Structures are given as structure tokens and as C-alpha cells.
Amino acid sequence: MSHSLHPGPLPSPRGGFFRDNWNVFDLLVVGIAVIPATGPFAVLRSLRVLRVLRLISVVAGVMATKLFGTIDPGDFGDLGTSLFTLFQVMTGEAWPDIAKTIMEQAPLAWIFFVVYILVSSFAVLNLFIAVVVSGMEDELRQDIREEEAKQAEAQAAANQEILDELRALRAELAELRQEKAA
């Protein structure tokens, strides 16, 4: 009895990876993650949160297709249609109409829609908050660096002034010693 590590057929070695849109999406997210954490592209790093949103959407899409596919095949007949319909629900576009159509035959469907809207809105809201906070954090760090540079410059100027005064005092002291010795 032999057991295979791969339950399905092996992917094509040449370009098979790029035929799957989710693989391309993951590649972009990982590519964004290696961008330096400073500079104008730092905000792009927060887009890594999209992977969580993708997971939520796919799981909800599968659930919606299984739960509502026979009730409303126009909106939930297959996974692609379900994902598009759930995107509309997430953005608030016509979701009451979609929910009413489903709830005519499945009265408790409102629970699915409310939970999906809350979870997806929470994820999107957190994404935007992360982008804003990341941008503000970068600006704050830049301001702190500038302020530290100004303080270091002022301290260096004060130190130089003190050294100049000490040299002047030593010179006066040396003159006084020479006058006293003469």
C-alpha cells in the first residue's frame, strides 16, 4: 500500500503557479512585505492584511454557495458569483435586496449576512486604520529624527562656545601668570 504526499495531480512545472490568481495575489503580498519599511512605499506593507480579508471572503463565499446556491442561483450559484455578491454585500450595495430574496425561503439567513458584514467591515476598517497609523508613524519618526538632529546641532554649538570660553580663560590666565612672573 503506497501513500502519496500529494492528493491531486502535480502542478505544471512551467508557469503553472501563475495560472492561479490566488498564487499571484500571494506573490504580490509577499513582494510587498519585502519592500523597505521606510520611504514612500512603507504604507504598502500594511496591505498584508488583505490576506486575512481574502480568507474571510473565500470561506464566506463557500458557505454562501452551499447555503444559498439553490435558493438564489443568480447571486450564489457558484463560488465566483457568490464572491462577487458578497463583495457587493461588504460594500453595502443592494445587500438588503439580496438578503430579502434569500430570507423569503431561509428566514434565519440574516444571521449570516449580519455576521459577514460585521467581520468584513471590521477587517476593512482595520486595514484603513493600519494604513493611516503607519503613515502617521513614519511622519512622527521623521519629525523626531529632525528634532534630534536640531538638538544635537544646538548641543554641539553650545559645547563649542564653552570650549572657546575655556581657551580664552586659559589664555588670560597664562597672561596673568606671565605678568606676575615679570
Side-chain angles (χ1 to χ4, degrees), residues 76-98:
F76 297 102
D78 58 41
L79 183 59
T81 307
S82 293
L83 288 172
F84 180 73
T85 303
L86 289 176
F87 179 76
Q88 286 181 307
V89 169
M90 179 183 70
T91 60
E93 180 185 342
W95 85 267
D97 300 331
I98 295 168

Side-chain angles (χ1 to χ4, degrees), residues 99-166:
K100 280 183 186 177
T101 303
I102 298 296
M103 288 173 44
E104 288 173 359
Q105 293 183 32
L108 294 179
W110 67 269
I111 296 171
F112 173 83
F113 288 107
V114 169
V115 168
Y116 177 74
I117 289 170
L118 288 175
V119 170
S120 62
S121 298
F122 179 74
V124 170
L125 180 64
N126 278 338
L127 174 65
F128 287 122
I129 289 173
V131 168
V132 169
V133 167
S134 178
M136 290 175 60
E137 183 180 38
D138 290 341
E139 287 180 24
L140 181 62
R141 283 185 181 156
Q142 183 63 29
D143 290 346
I144 289 172
R145 284 188 200 115
E146 289 173 4
E147 186 62 34
E148 286 175 347
K150 286 179 186 177
Q151 287 180 357
E153 202 174 289
Q155 185 66 40
N159 288 347
Q160 187 61 45
E161 189 177 321
I162 290 171
L163 286 173
D164 292 343
E165 286 183 29
L166 278 174

